[in-house]
Amino acid sequence: DTGVSQDPRHKITKRGQNVTFRCDPISEHNRLYWYRQTLGQGPEFLTYFQNEAQLEKSRLLSDRFSAERPKGSFSTLEIQRTEQGDSAMYLCASSLGQGANEAFFGQGTRLTVV
Amino acid sequence: AQTVTQSQPEMSVQEAETVTLSCTYDTSESDYYLFWYKQPPSRQMILVIRQEAYKQQNATENRFSVNFQKAAKSFSLKISDSQLGDAAMYFCMTIGTNAGKSTFGDGTTLTVKP
Protein backbone atom coordinates (compact mmCIF):
# COMPACT_ATOMS: atom_id res chain seq x y z
CA ASP A 1 0.00 0.00 0.00
CA THR A 2 1.47 3.31 -1.04
CA GLY A 3 -0.51 5.54 1.28
CA VAL A 4 -3.63 7.65 1.05
CA SER A 5 -4.64 8.46 -2.50
CA GLN A 6 -7.07 11.08 -3.70
CA ASP A 7 -8.72 11.48 -7.06
CA PRO A 8 -8.80 13.73 -8.97
CA ARG A 9 -5.78 15.84 -8.06
CA HIS A 10 -7.28 18.89 -9.73
CA LYS A 11 -10.84 19.82 -10.64
CA ILE A 12 -12.11 22.91 -12.40
CA THR A 13 -15.86 23.30 -12.46
CA LYS A 14 -18.42 25.93 -13.27
CA ARG A 15 -20.45 27.50 -10.53
CA GLY A 16 -23.61 25.54 -9.90
CA GLN A 17 -22.21 22.19 -10.99
CA ASN A 18 -21.85 19.17 -8.70
CA VAL A 19 -18.47 17.60 -8.02
CA THR A 20 -17.39 14.40 -6.32
CA PHE A 21 -14.00 13.55 -4.89
CA ARG A 22 -12.69 10.15 -3.91
CA CYS A 23 -10.30 9.12 -1.16
CA ASP A 24 -8.72 5.70 -0.76
CA PRO A 25 -7.23 5.36 2.74
CA ILE A 26 -4.49 3.03 3.87
CA SER A 27 -6.21 -0.33 3.79
CA GLU A 28 -6.22 -1.26 7.48
CA HIS A 29 -7.07 2.23 8.73
CA ASN A 30 -10.48 2.47 10.36
CA ARG A 31 -10.61 6.26 10.64
CA LEU A 32 -10.97 8.59 7.70
CA TYR A 33 -11.02 12.40 7.80
CA TRP A 34 -11.88 15.15 5.36
CA TYR A 35 -10.44 18.66 5.61
CA ARG A 36 -10.60 21.83 3.58
CA GLN A 37 -7.55 24.03 3.23
CA THR A 38 -7.46 27.47 1.67
CA LEU A 39 -4.30 29.35 0.74
CA GLY A 40 -2.35 30.55 3.72
CA GLN A 41 -4.46 28.72 6.26
CA GLY A 42 -4.36 25.44 8.09
CA PRO A 43 -6.66 22.52 7.31
CA GLU A 44 -10.20 22.91 8.60
CA PHE A 45 -11.96 19.79 9.82
CA LEU A 46 -15.03 18.84 7.80
CA THR A 47 -16.01 15.35 8.90
CA TYR A 48 -14.71 11.97 9.95
CA PHE A 49 -15.67 8.33 9.75
CA GLN A 50 -14.94 5.41 11.95
CA ASN A 51 -15.32 2.45 9.64
CA GLU A 52 -18.53 3.20 7.71
CA ALA A 53 -20.10 5.41 10.39
CA GLN A 54 -19.90 9.18 10.00
CA LEU A 55 -19.37 10.27 13.59
CA GLU A 56 -18.93 14.02 13.41
CA LYS A 57 -19.58 16.82 10.97
CA SER A 58 -18.32 20.35 11.19
CA ARG A 59 -20.70 23.28 11.01
CA LEU A 60 -18.64 24.24 7.95
CA LEU A 61 -20.26 21.34 6.16
CA SER A 62 -23.37 22.92 4.73
CA ASP A 63 -26.27 20.98 3.29
CA ARG A 64 -24.56 21.13 -0.09
CA PHE A 65 -21.80 18.87 1.19
CA SER A 66 -22.20 15.15 1.76
CA ALA A 67 -19.70 12.43 2.49
CA GLU A 68 -19.97 8.69 2.46
CA ARG A 69 -17.79 5.75 3.27
CA PRO A 70 -19.60 2.63 2.14
CA LYS A 71 -18.28 -0.60 3.62
CA GLY A 72 -15.69 1.31 5.57
CA SER A 73 -13.23 1.44 2.71
CA PHE A 74 -12.93 4.37 0.28
CA SER A 75 -14.83 7.59 0.85
CA THR A 76 -16.45 10.18 -1.39
CA LEU A 77 -17.08 13.85 -0.76
CA GLU A 78 -19.74 15.48 -2.92
CA ILE A 79 -20.38 19.18 -3.25
CA GLN A 80 -23.65 20.14 -4.87
CA ARG A 81 -24.34 23.47 -6.59
CA THR A 82 -20.75 24.61 -6.20
CA GLU A 83 -20.00 28.22 -5.30
CA GLN A 84 -16.82 30.22 -5.80
CA GLY A 85 -16.22 30.09 -2.07
CA ASP A 86 -15.86 26.32 -2.35
CA SER A 87 -12.55 26.76 -4.18
CA ALA A 88 -9.95 25.16 -1.95
CA MET A 89 -7.75 22.13 -1.43
CA TYR A 90 -9.71 19.18 -0.07
CA LEU A 91 -7.55 16.86 2.01
CA CYS A 92 -8.24 13.33 3.10
CA ALA A 93 -6.41 11.54 5.90
CA SER A 94 -6.67 8.17 7.56
CA SER A 95 -5.50 6.69 10.84
CA LEU A 96 -5.60 3.48 12.78
CA GLY A 97 -7.45 3.26 16.06
CA GLN A 98 -8.24 6.36 18.07
CA GLY A 99 -8.00 9.98 17.07
CA ALA A 100 -4.73 10.52 18.83
CA ASN A 101 -2.81 8.29 16.46
CA GLU A 102 -0.83 9.64 13.54
CA ALA A 103 -2.96 10.64 10.58
CA PHE A 104 -1.60 9.95 7.10
CA PHE A 105 -2.61 12.52 4.53
CA GLY A 106 -3.25 12.30 0.82
CA GLN A 107 -1.97 14.91 -1.61
CA GLY A 108 -5.38 16.53 -1.83
CA THR A 109 -7.81 17.55 -4.54
CA ARG A 110 -7.57 21.16 -5.62
CA LEU A 111 -11.00 22.51 -6.58
CA THR A 112 -11.40 25.68 -8.61
CA VAL A 113 -14.91 26.98 -9.15
CA VAL A 114 -15.17 29.46 -12.02
CA ALA B 1 -14.07 24.23 21.57
CA GLN B 2 -10.47 24.29 20.41
CA THR B 3 -8.26 27.04 19.06
CA VAL B 4 -4.66 26.92 17.88
CA THR B 5 -2.58 30.04 17.30
CA GLN B 6 0.72 30.17 15.45
CA SER B 7 1.94 33.73 15.79
CA GLN B 8 4.82 33.48 13.32
CA PRO B 9 3.59 33.35 9.72
CA GLU B 10 7.17 33.08 8.44
CA MET B 11 10.51 32.11 9.92
CA SER B 12 13.94 31.63 8.44
CA VAL B 13 17.02 29.82 9.70
CA GLN B 14 20.54 29.29 8.49
CA GLU B 15 21.43 25.74 7.59
CA ALA B 16 22.85 23.83 10.59
CA GLU B 17 21.41 26.31 13.09
CA THR B 18 18.47 25.96 15.46
CA VAL B 19 15.01 27.47 15.12
CA THR B 20 11.94 27.45 17.35
CA LEU B 21 8.38 27.66 16.06
CA SER B 22 5.70 28.87 18.46
CA CYS B 23 2.22 27.50 19.09
CA THR B 24 -0.38 28.29 21.71
CA TYR B 25 -3.68 26.49 22.05
CA ASP B 26 -6.88 26.30 23.98
CA THR B 27 -9.09 23.25 24.37
CA SER B 28 -12.09 22.13 26.36
CA GLU B 29 -10.89 18.53 26.24
CA SER B 30 -9.56 17.08 29.48
CA ASP B 31 -7.42 14.53 27.64
CA TYR B 32 -5.81 15.56 24.40
CA TYR B 33 -2.81 15.27 22.15
CA LEU B 34 -0.72 17.85 20.36
CA PHE B 35 0.99 17.38 17.03
CA TRP B 36 3.34 19.16 14.69
CA TYR B 37 2.84 18.36 11.01
CA LYS B 38 5.05 19.42 8.11
CA GLN B 39 3.73 20.26 4.63
CA PRO B 40 6.48 20.60 2.01
CA PRO B 41 5.59 22.53 -1.14
CA SER B 42 3.19 20.55 -3.33
CA ARG B 43 3.52 17.47 -1.15
CA GLN B 44 1.36 15.84 1.44
CA MET B 45 1.42 16.62 5.11
CA ILE B 46 3.54 14.35 7.29
CA LEU B 47 3.85 13.96 11.04
CA VAL B 48 6.86 15.56 12.71
CA ILE B 49 6.22 14.90 16.38
CA ARG B 50 3.43 14.05 18.83
CA GLN B 51 2.93 14.90 22.50
CA GLU B 52 0.47 13.34 24.92
CA ALA B 53 -0.83 16.12 27.15
CA TYR B 54 -0.83 13.93 30.25
CA LYS B 55 2.93 13.38 29.93
CA GLN B 56 5.19 16.01 31.44
CA GLN B 57 8.24 14.83 29.54
CA ASN B 58 8.77 16.68 26.30
CA ALA B 59 8.71 14.55 23.15
CA THR B 60 11.79 14.29 20.97
CA GLU B 61 12.34 12.80 17.51
CA ASN B 62 15.93 13.03 16.34
CA ARG B 63 16.54 16.73 15.53
CA PHE B 64 13.00 17.72 16.50
CA SER B 65 11.87 18.40 20.04
CA VAL B 66 9.03 20.21 21.73
CA ASN B 67 8.73 22.50 24.72
CA PHE B 68 5.32 21.66 26.18
CA GLN B 69 4.07 24.02 28.87
CA LYS B 70 0.63 22.70 29.79
CA ALA B 71 -0.34 25.44 32.22
CA ALA B 72 0.60 28.10 29.70
CA LYS B 73 -1.00 26.09 26.88
CA SER B 74 2.14 26.42 24.84
CA PHE B 75 3.63 23.85 22.50
CA SER B 76 6.70 25.04 20.61
CA LEU B 77 8.79 23.05 18.14
CA LYS B 78 12.57 23.22 18.12
CA ILE B 79 14.48 22.11 15.05
CA SER B 80 18.18 21.57 15.64
CA ASP B 81 20.88 21.37 12.97
CA SER B 82 18.43 22.64 10.35
CA GLN B 83 18.66 21.07 6.91
CA LEU B 84 17.51 22.30 3.51
CA GLY B 85 14.89 19.55 3.51
CA ASP B 86 13.27 21.08 6.59
CA ALA B 87 11.93 23.93 4.47
CA ALA B 88 8.15 23.60 4.58
CA MET B 89 5.00 24.88 6.19
CA TYR B 90 4.63 23.64 9.77
CA PHE B 91 1.25 23.21 11.41
CA CYS B 92 0.45 22.78 15.07
CA MET B 93 -2.64 20.67 15.79
CA THR B 94 -4.65 19.48 18.78
CA ILE B 95 -7.19 16.67 19.09
CA GLY B 96 -9.08 15.13 21.98
CA THR B 97 -7.92 11.67 22.92
CA ASN B 98 -11.15 10.00 21.89
CA ALA B 99 -12.40 12.65 19.52
CA GLY B 100 -12.33 12.88 15.77
CA LYS B 101 -12.32 16.62 15.30
CA SER B 102 -8.88 18.15 15.18
CA THR B 103 -7.94 21.83 15.08
CA PHE B 104 -4.94 23.15 13.16
CA GLY B 105 -3.17 26.47 13.39
CA ASP B 106 -2.63 28.59 10.28
CA GLY B 107 0.94 27.44 9.91
CA THR B 108 4.46 28.84 9.89
CA THR B 109 6.44 28.87 6.66
CA LEU B 110 10.04 27.91 7.40
CA THR B 111 12.80 28.89 5.01
CA VAL B 112 16.23 27.32 5.38
CA LYS B 113 19.11 29.36 3.97
CA PRO B 114 22.19 27.54 2.69
Side-chain angles (χ1 to χ4, degrees), chain A residues 4 9 31 33 35 37 40-45 48 56 58 91 98-107, chain B residues 33 35 37 39 42-47 50 89 91 93 95-102 104-107:
Chain A
V4 179
R9 294 287 309 281
R31 282 203 167 194
Y33 309 83
Y35 297 90
Q37 185 178 23
Q41 295 191 332
E44 295 176 291
F45 171 84
Y48 90 98
E56 191 167 356
S58 166
L91 299 172
Q98 295 180 341
N101 289 333
E102 177 183 0
F104 292 80
F105 283 79
Q107 289 191 289
Chain B
Y33 283 68
F35 294 78
Y37 278 90
Q39 188 175 39
S42 302
R43 295 181 61 187
Q44 64 256 58
M45 205 166 313
I46 56 175
L47 177 68
R50 182 180 80 162
M89 197 153 187
F91 292 98
M93 181 266 262
I95 185 169
T97 299
N98 294 313
K101 180 181 178 180
S102 54
F104 284 82
D106 282 340

Side-chain angles (χ1 to χ4, degrees), chain A:
Chain A
D1 194 307
T2 55
V4 179
S5 63
Q6 293 188 243
D7 183 69
R9 294 287 309 281
H10 304 273
K11 178 72 176 179
I12 300 175
T13 190
K14 292 183 178 179
R15 191 174 52 187
Q17 296 294 304
N18 299 344
V19 294
T20 300
F21 310 140
R22 177 180 171 122
C23 171
D24 286 273
I26 294 172
S27 58
E28 65 269 24
H29 284 188
N30 58 328
R31 282 203 167 194
L32 186 147
Y33 309 83
W34 284 100
Y35 297 90
R36 180 171 67 190
Q37 185 178 23
T38 53
L39 200 61
Q41 295 191 332
E44 295 176 291
F45 171 84
L46 293 178
T47 189
Y48 90 98
F49 293 83
Q50 181 141 329
N51 301 310
E52 67 276 9
Q54 187 174 19
L55 296 187
E56 191 167 356
K57 290 171 61 173
S58 166
R59 295 174 187 173
L60 294 173
L61 218 62
S62 74
D63 292 344
R64 296 185 297 106
F65 288 71
S66 62
E68 294 183 342
R69 192 183 183 197
K71 302 178 183 178
S73 55
F74 71 92
S75 176
T76 58
L77 178 68
E78 181 184 17
I79 309 175
Q80 296 182 330
R81 305 181 302 282
T82 52
E83 302 172 355
Q84 287 190 321
D86 297 331
S87 296
M89 178 75 84
Y90 289 84
L91 299 172
C92 176
S94 69
S95 69
L96 186 63
Q98 295 180 341
N101 289 333
E102 177 183 0
F104 292 80
F105 283 79
Q107 289 191 289
T109 294
R110 181 166 296 283
L111 173 67
T112 303
V113 181
V114 297

Side-chain angles (χ1 to χ4, degrees), chain B residues 2 7 19-20 22 25-26 29 46-47 64 73-74 76-77 79-81 95 99 101 109 112:
Chain B
Q2 299 171 123
S7 59
V19 65
T20 298
S22 301
Y25 67 93
D26 198 5
E29 300 281 347
I46 56 175
L47 177 68
F64 299 88
K73 296 184 179 178
S74 171
S76 61
L77 174 69
I79 307 174
S80 304
D81 185 25
I95 185 169
K101 180 181 178 180
T109 300
V112 181

